[in-house]
Amino acid sequence: MKINQKLLGMLIVTIIFGTVFISSRFGLWQTTNTKIPQKYTSADYQDQYDPADIKGSYTFGEISQLYQVPIDDLVTAFSIDAGDASSFKCKDLESMYDKADGKEIGTDSVRLFVALYKGLPYTLNSSTYLPVSAEEVLLIMGNMTDEQKQFVASHKK
Amino acid sequence: MEKRKKRIWVRSVIQIFFFAVVLLVVISKSLAEAGVSIPFASNASLHAICPFGGVETLYQYITSGTFIQKIHSSSIVLMYAVLFLTLLFGPIFCGWVCPFGTFQEFIGKIGRKIFGRKYNHFIPEKFDKVLKYLRYIVLALVLYNTAVTAKLIFQDVDPYYALFNMFTGEVAVTAYIALAVITISSLFVERPFCKYACPYGAMLGFFGLFSIFKIKRNKQTCIDCKACDESCPMNIEVSSSKTVHDHQCISCLKCTSDQACPINNTLDFKVGGYKHEN
């Protein structure tokens, strides 16, 4: 059995767009965030949203509401303009902070901050950094373990 | 029976169509961020419609049920669709769908006009054979570093991302450099990124080895004119194989009796062998 270019072309378009259509019908085709983060699976935290699922498109207003972190503390931690705080997106931190030194402040920083602020379990990643102002807020909150304090002290800019 | 070489337009139409779809998605996304929406165009980002994003996020999806940044379930859906196509027809995504492959081919047409038959033969075969495995190293590095950092690290060196987001201000300098290098290289070598650096091409090339449909050569009717070898953008020596089992084949069908091969029923994309063949 051989196949020519015309039939092959039709099959490619049909299979790709057919898959998109069918997956849309079953709700599997998501091209944007649902703005509802995953919850922890462990029994101790099962009602808590997992900060690891914070997306770059989440605004500080949404994070404040979802994770119950006062927006003023987010503003102080990341030194953003209080007037724009509600609509400020996590991913905008990347352009706000210089990363020439290889230390990037971005969505990962917000995930880490929220987890440590709330005392929620979070895997510390050596490539994640926090602003000095965020460390100060976290120290005041007092939810960090000694290991987390050491990590933050060595991962600030 | 001999025939004249035909100009086949189907693949070009499909390539232009997918290039236009991706371009429309990128423009639509940019306009949406500025508060303008295009009717019927989705609000998806370039990442959301890239099947390689599905591969990149697979480790995190399996281990924690979440996606890496900028990736959504649509990428995983497309990853499965492309894998299905590859197991049927080989890395047809590379040869027919990938807009960056189309871009390189377009630049290559200029190179072919400048250098004629010398085009795509600048790199000595012995180096070319080794360099073609480089993309597997790129794939391993991308998958490892993405799994460790949970970030879309390839974006910073991805020429495809740079091409379609050129004016957004979101492209890293390194990606612009990669795009410039690939564009210039495409004037000398056909599809240089696909051949030597594309991590997704590496993965599809591997799975393509197990595809059901393959390029088959009828040794009894072949006149050994080497037109197939000349036409292959990936420098595969088609004329020496009965069945093309090459991880670089992109199933473009340029070599077949539909296009370059001057003899009917001699080089086809098919399942099974030819009748009356020893």
Side-chain angles (χ1 to χ4, degrees):
Chain A
M1 180 185 162
K2 73 175 180 183
I3 195 163
N4 63 25
Q5 294 207 11
K6 279 184 189 165
L7 180 58
L8 193 56
M10 282 192 286
L11 283 171
I12 292 169
V13 174
T14 306
I15 290 172
I16 291 179
F17 284 95
T19 307
V20 172
F21 177 75
I22 292 167
S23 61
S24 299
R25 294 288 298 233
F26 287 98
L28 298 170
W29 181 260
Q30 300 289 338
T31 57
T32 51
N33 293 320
T34 55
K35 303 281 185 185
I36 302 170
Q38 298 261 335
K39 287 184 175 175
Y40 283 100
T41 50
S42 65
D44 294 346
Y45 300 95
Q46 63 181 354
D47 292 331
Q48 297 274 358
Y49 289 125
D50 186 350
D53 204 32
I54 291 174
K55 302 287 193 302
S57 60
Y58 282 23
T59 63
F60 275 23
E62 287 162 346
I63 291 167
S64 173
Q65 199 176 18
L66 289 164
Y67 293 90
Q68 303 296 304
V69 177
I71 199 152
D72 291 344
D73 284 347
L74 287 168
V75 167
T76 309
F78 292 96
S79 309
I80 62 166
D81 184 353
D84 302 329
S86 290
S87 58
F88 186 87
K89 289 179 180 172
C90 288
K91 64 180 177 183
D92 295 336
L93 286 170
E94 289 170 26
S95 51
M96 203 178 107
Y97 284 92
D98 178 34
K99 58 178 176 183
D101 56 1
K103 297 176 179 178
E104 184 181 292
I105 303 288
T107 308
D108 267 350
S109 312
V110 180
R111 290 174 181 146
L112 175 66
F113 175 80
V114 171
L116 300 183
Y117 186 96
K118 299 291 290 183
L120 296 169
Y122 191 79
T123 307
L124 301 173
N125 188 325
S126 60
S127 63
T128 308
Y129 290 86
L130 287 172
V132 174
S133 48
E135 184 194 24
E136 289 164 1
V137 174
L138 290 172
L139 288 171
I140 293 167
M141 279 306 292
N143 283 332
M144 288 194 290
T145 62
D146 288 343
E147 185 202 356
Q148 288 169 338
K149 281 179 191 168
Q150 277 181 358
F151 177 87
V152 172
S154 60
H155 285 77
K156 62 186 177 185
K157 70 178 275 181
Chain B
M1 188 178 135
E2 289 194 34
K3 65 176 177 60
R4 263 195 240 161
K5 186 176 162 184
K6 280 196 283 182
R7 182 165 177 80
I8 300 290
W9 49 266
V10 182
R11 195 174 69 93
S12 302
V13 169
I14 301 279
Q15 285 181 295
I16 291 166
F17 170 71
F18 279 104
F19 191 97
V21 168
V22 170
L23 196 61
L24 183 67
V25 166
V26 172
I27 292 170
S28 171
K29 175 74 176 167
S30 300
L31 289 175
E33 284 177 355
V36 183
S37 65
I38 301 177
F40 308 112
S42 94
N43 194 19
S45 68
L46 187 65
H47 299 297
I49 56 161
C50 178
F52 187 55
V55 180
E56 288 174 291
T57 201
L58 209 53
Y59 175 78
Q60 181 157 328
Y61 188 66
I62 291 167
T63 55
S64 68
T66 57
F67 303 113
I68 58 168
Q69 57 174 206
K70 300 177 183 178
I71 298 299
H72 311 287
S73 65
S74 52
S75 292
I76 291 191
V77 168
L78 287 174
M79 178 193 75
Y80 282 123
V82 172
L83 184 63
F84 177 68
L85 276 170
T86 305
L87 291 174
L88 274 179
F89 305 118
I92 208 146
F93 176 82
C94 308
W96 291 65
V97 180
C98 177
F100 197 61
T102 304
F103 170 75
Q104 289 171 87
E105 267 189 39
F106 175 74
I107 301 294
K109 285 184 196 304
I110 301 169
R112 197 177 289 279
K113 284 219 162 95
I114 299 170
F115 300 111
R117 291 173 74 86
K118 184 96 176 112
Y119 175 72
N120 203 23
H121 294 289
F122 287 100
I123 299 178
E125 203 180 324
K126 61 179 178 180
F127 293 125
D128 182 61
K129 273 187 176 162
V130 176
L131 287 172
K132 280 174 174 175
Y133 287 95
L134 205 62
R135 58 184 191 160
Y136 292 96
I137 298 171
V138 177
L139 174 65
L141 285 173
V142 170
L143 293 184
Y144 175 74
N145 285 301
T146 308
V148 169
T149 62
K151 287 181 183 172
L152 210 55
I153 55 122
F154 188 58
Q155 180 183 302
D156 285 351
V157 288
D158 186 356
Y160 167 63
Y161 183 76
L163 177 69
F164 282 97
N165 286 276
M166 206 175 273
F167 305 109
T168 61
E170 290 181 7
V171 180
V173 177
T174 41
Y176 280 127
I177 294 169
L179 177 62
V181 169
I182 295 299
T183 306
I184 294 166
S185 304
S186 296
L187 289 169
F188 302 91
V189 178
E190 190 142 15
R191 290 178 171 254
F193 184 68
C194 310
K195 268 182 193 148
Y196 309 124
C198 180
Y200 195 41
M203 203 193 96
L204 297 182
F206 172 75
F207 283 107
L209 294 173
F210 308 101
S211 67
I212 295 169
F213 280 83
K214 281 194 161 58
I215 301 285
K216 306 262 172 106
R217 186 175 67 94
N218 188 343
K219 284 168 79 175
Q220 287 187 331
T221 53
C222 175
I223 57 170
D224 210 24
C225 65
K226 314 273 188 202
C228 48
D229 297 347
E230 276 298 309
S231 67
C232 181
M234 307 306 278
N235 303 98
I236 297 168
E237 205 179 302
V238 182
S239 63
S240 64
S241 328
K242 196 172 158 189
T243 301
V244 175
H245 285 290
D246 194 301
H247 67 113
Q248 287 265 319
C249 178
I250 54 170
S251 304
C252 65
L253 310 198
K254 273 186 172 180
C255 60
T256 62
S257 296
D258 267 355
Q259 205 162 343
C261 176
I263 313 293
N264 281 337
N265 301 316
T266 296
L267 206 56
D268 293 303
F269 194 51
K270 62 188 292 181
V271 183
Y274 287 94
K275 282 179 186 172
H276 315 299
E277 199 179 39
N278 293 328

